[in-house]
Amino acid sequence: MAKFQPAPGEALAGSGPMSLFQKSGLTKKPFQGKIYVTNQRVCFYMDLSGSALMDLPLAQIKGFSVSKTLFITQVTIHSQSGEDYPLTGFPAKNLQTWLRQVGVQAL
């Protein structure tokens, strides 16, 4: 089971439990896990398997956007290659702060 391991010189800006929505057939399915924002990358590790569903160096992140569905805030991280990583969960507001702290811009 893989787990988050900071690289030498990597400092954690914040982490917390969230759900990452990924395509599953014709719909998007939420995967429970933990988001980690560091001074070098942003990654998401799934609770069930411990595998990384997202591991993006900061240079590969185009920015992030925020939307609301009913009362749920969704933060979507957009990669330079065009992939989107929609996240929801209690620390959604904190995630925005952590991303800004490490230089990721809101789109």
Side-chain angles (χ1 to χ4, degrees), residues 2 9 11 20 27 41 45 58 71-72 82-83 87 91 97-99 103:
L20 173 65
T27 62
R41 62 188 167 138
Y45 283 83
L58 294 180
F71 299 105
I72 299 170
E83 291 183 74
L87 297 141
T97 301
W98 302 330
L99 290 169

Side-chain angles (χ1 to χ4, degrees), residues 50-72:
S51 59
L53 296 182
M54 174 182 65
D55 194 343
L56 292 171
L58 294 180
Q60 291 181 13
I61 299 174
K62 182 172 158 183
F64 71 93
S65 60
V66 179
S67 60
K68 284 201 181 226
T69 306
L70 297 174
F71 299 105
I72 299 170

Side-chain angles (χ1 to χ4, degrees), residues 22-38:
Q22 298 244 288
K23 253 191 174 172
S24 179
L26 298 174
T27 62
K28 286 194 174 189
K29 178 181 171 186
F31 291 89
Q32 306 298 315
K34 197 165 184 186
I35 187 91
Y36 298 90
V37 179
T38 76

Side-chain angles (χ1 to χ4, degrees), residues 8 10 29 33-34 36 40 49 52 65 77 80-81 83 90 92 104:
E10 190 171 21
K29 178 181 171 186
K34 197 165 184 186
Y36 298 90
Q40 296 178 14
S49 67
S65 60
I77 296 172
Q80 294 285 6
S81 64
E83 291 183 74
F90 180 70
V104 177

